[in-house]
Amino acid sequence: MEGGGRPSVAQAALLAASTALTALLYSVYRQKARVARGLQGAKRIRLDGELRAVLLEAPGRCVPYAVIEGVVQSVKETLSSQFVENCKGVVQRLTLQEHKMVWNRTTHLWNDYEKIIHQRTNTTPFDLVPQEDGAGITVRVMKPLDAAELSLETVYEKFHPSVQSFTDVIGHYISGERPKGIQETEQMLKVGTALTGVGELVLDNTTIKLQPPKQGMPYYLSAVDFDSLLQKQESSVRYWKILTVLFGFATCTVLFFILRKQYRHHREQRHLRQMQDEFRQAQERLMREMNAEGGETLKNACVICLSNIKSCVFLECGHVCSCKECYQALSQPKKCPICRQAISRVVPLYNS
């Protein structure tokens, strides 16, 4: 603790950082909990002949947050894989990713580093249709790339290692970067994939559309079933809740430590003031006795024990107020009982 009982700069910085981190974790936890509650309250609608009737009865022909499960079917043309034969899809993502080793000057180690140097995503309109044939109902999926979770299957992946000469190796050690190679990846949302869509379900004229919700809830196009998706979100909520509680406890511990130090400082200051008051009262009583008796002995008596003769000069303040025994009994750090200034050295006083 610094003078005056205030927390030190390190303690204040630790408390501020812990509080800010706890607040950030709590904000993330609240967001995750809101998403989980939204998923729990989402209306599960079957993709069957009753779907149109359900939307006609809904206010504004819209279900703000609905769960629909179906199979991917292209509307017109499909996208063909560039590397795999007879692989058709409605979303295609091509990625080139650079892999290299970077020298860390702090740890003196080579660390893996990855960077996407090129990525292209192609889409074509597609519907969700019932898994059972012959139902005759479709749901048009709008803005699939806006989905918080878009399940794409990796259909092709190849790593192209870098070819390096001896000169290149020397140059890489000098520059601190060693290229490993380029990874080429193709991901697709294939036709026939079972998909769980969570979003706003609306009847627009004769077309039923699944689109991103307007109230800020996340939009999902996931290959897992809804129960697994909900369980995943609830697990995420529990994880962030545990982190929030742990860092909140750490913040409370730091705050308790600072408050405890302040309380102890306040108690010591109160005890010091009480001792100073008692000393002042003793001085006043001594002065009254000296005036009443006129005794030379009391005039030269130690102000602490009032029995021995003053025999010490305190420096740097210069007060003569204590005997040698009482000076030695003073607690560390030793301070003058008159002015409370620190005693740097003591000079014996000899009375002739």
Side-chain angles (χ1 to χ4, degrees), residues 102-113:
V102 178
W103 176 254
N104 190 317
R105 300 184 185 277
T106 303
T107 60
H108 299 285
L109 296 173
W110 289 96
N111 298 328
D112 289 324
Y113 178 79

Side-chain angles (χ1 to χ4, degrees), residues 275 304 314 322-337 340 343:
M275 292 179 59
I304 299 177
F314 296 153
S322 171
C323 63
K324 180 180 179 182
E325 290 77 8
C326 291
Y327 162 73
Q328 293 176 345
L330 290 175
S331 59
Q332 295 290 345
K334 297 183 183 298
K335 295 182 179 180
C336 174
R340 305 305 299 167
I343 300 174

Side-chain angles (χ1 to χ4, degrees), residues 60-75:
R61 297 185 177 185
C62 171
V63 178
Y65 209 46
V67 180
I68 196 82
E69 295 179 340
V71 176
V72 174
Q73 176 182 280
S74 61
V75 176

Side-chain angles (χ1 to χ4, degrees), residues 209-256:
K209 297 180 180 180
L210 179 68
Q211 58 192 17
K214 295 184 176 64
Q215 67 271 31
M217 295 299 293
Y219 181 38
Y220 293 100
L221 294 173
S222 177
V224 301
D225 59 89
F226 177 72
D227 292 332
S228 299
L229 182 62
L230 180 58
Q231 184 178 3
K232 178 181 177 181
Q233 293 300 321
E234 291 175 344
S235 299
S236 177
V237 171
R238 287 193 295 269
Y239 171 77
W240 287 102
K241 183 178 181 180
I242 292 173
L243 281 183
T244 303
V245 171
L246 290 178
F247 278 89
F249 178 76
T251 301
C252 292
T253 302
V254 174
L255 181 61
F256 171 77

Side-chain angles (χ1 to χ4, degrees), residues 98-103 110-113 162 164 168-169 171-181:
E98 179 186 15
H99 292 258
K100 61 182 178 180
M101 303 288 287
V102 178
W103 176 254
W110 289 96
N111 298 328
D112 289 324
Y113 178 79
S162 299
Q164 303 175 12
D168 294 334
V169 172
H172 296 156
Y173 273 97
I174 295 175
S175 64
E177 293 186 358
R178 291 165 48 190
K180 296 172 64 178

